[in-house]
Amino acid sequence: MTLPELSRSGPIAYREVGEGPALLLMHGIGGSSKTWEEQYRAFAGSHRVIGWDAPGFGGSDPAPEQTADCWADDAAGLLDRLGIGTAVLLGHSIGGILPPRGASRQAGRIDRIVLSGTRAGFVGALGFEERQREFDTLTPEERGRTRAATMAAPGARPEVLARLAVIAGEVTREAFAGGVSVLNGTDNRDILKALDIPALVLCGNQDGIAPPERGEEIAALLADVRMTCFEGAGHAAYAEKPDEYNTRLAEFLTE
């Protein structure tokens, strides 16, 4: 299966494949709707799989306000325009701050959530200033390779690194800055404590961006949760260990 074509629904661009229960995939700050190639392939036969470009990323317009709540509302607006009543939300890294907020703001609409390689909060977390300087000092290709090296575990397959590098190299300065604005100061701890829907926490045991203890922190806050940590995977377990990642996701979706 080739990568689904990019479409637009209002200000949000997205890729879509398959039919069935809706599964909305929300990428990280070094990603786009291209991130989910392995998931489009795995779930096209069982779900209506939608991978969005976050506001300002890929083909999407920037959000009116660069806040987590505004992004969550944009995700709800995308579901509205696609005629989707209920959905499962999967968010990775920066995308992982959105499913809890979406479930909180759209009670009854979100069946369950998947939080992949993310944190309960990003207050002063990751040294974004150094990453922003890369836009001044590196070409897109160099920046992509640099980001890919931090996203994957040592020994990752060359073809995985190459794909991560291409996608990360396409992120613009403006998109990254908007993502940093969303992350800075975001804290979902109280929201996570209040949720009562099924949740799955996924992580890589060699993730230096959202290490396993961050996933454990999230899991400790949720009432109905299960957690899986993938051996030999870094921040991009969805691409590094796609078979294991997709198998665990499929199990959760059909529980």
Side-chain angles (χ1 to χ4, degrees):
M1 188 189 75
T2 59
L3 196 67
E5 292 185 4
L6 195 67
S7 304
R8 280 183 66 89
S9 179
I12 297 296
Y14 64 97
R15 299 176 194 272
E16 180 180 358
V17 65
E19 296 180 355
L23 173 62
L24 178 60
L25 308 176
M26 294 177 281
H27 60 80
I29 201 168
S32 72
S33 57
K34 292 181 178 180
T35 290
W36 306 107
E37 182 175 343
E38 298 288 353
Q39 286 66 50
Y40 296 134
R41 182 178 296 110
F43 292 96
S46 59
H47 286 75
R48 183 180 181 184
V49 187
I50 301 130
W52 84 339
D53 283 342
F57 286 72
S60 293
D61 297 338
E65 298 179 16
Q66 299 291 12
T67 66
D69 284 339
C70 191
W71 279 29
D73 289 345
D74 275 349
L78 174 60
L79 296 178
D80 288 340
R81 290 189 292 274
L82 295 180
I84 294 171
T86 60
V88 175
L89 303 185
L90 186 160
H92 179 76
S93 198
I94 185 176
I97 68 176
L98 302 176
R101 288 176 179 259
S104 175
R105 296 166 74 82
Q106 298 271 318
R109 184 177 198 179
I110 308 307
D111 286 336
R112 54 189 62 205
I113 60 173
V114 183
L115 308 179
S116 169
T118 192
R119 299 174 176 230
F122 284 86
V123 182
L126 297 175
F128 289 117
E129 292 181 1
E130 179 178 346
R131 290 179 62 176
Q132 286 177 309
R133 283 194 290 271
E134 292 177 0
F135 287 91
D136 297 319
T137 59
L138 301 177
T139 67
E141 292 76 16
E142 292 169 336
R143 182 163 39 80
R145 289 193 295 271
T146 299
R147 289 296 103 221
T150 67
M151 293 168 68
R157 300 190 308 277
E159 62 270 23
V160 171
L161 288 170
R163 181 156 67 89
L164 294 174
V166 168
I167 297 170
E170 292 174 346
V171 176
T172 66
R173 178 195 297 269
E174 293 74 21
F176 184 80
V180 171
S181 296
V182 169
L183 287 174
N184 279 339
T186 295
D187 191 333
N188 278 349
R189 290 175 179 86
D190 289 341
I191 294 173
L192 290 165
K193 290 178 185 177
L195 291 180
D196 61 357
I197 61 173
L200 173 64
V201 177
L202 300 175
C203 66
N205 75 329
Q206 297 186 50
D207 188 343
I209 297 172
E213 55 266 30
R214 298 299 184 182
E216 292 166 359
E217 179 188 11
I218 293 172
L221 296 169
L222 288 161
D224 184 1
V225 65
R226 57 285 287 147
M227 178 174 173
T228 298
C229 195
F230 302 103
E231 292 290 326
H235 191 55
Y238 56 85
E240 298 172 86
K241 302 286 183 178
D243 292 342
E244 296 173 38
Y245 189 99
N246 293 337
T247 295
R248 185 65 190 97
L249 178 56
E251 292 170 348
F252 176 65
L253 293 176
T254 55
E255 283 181 0

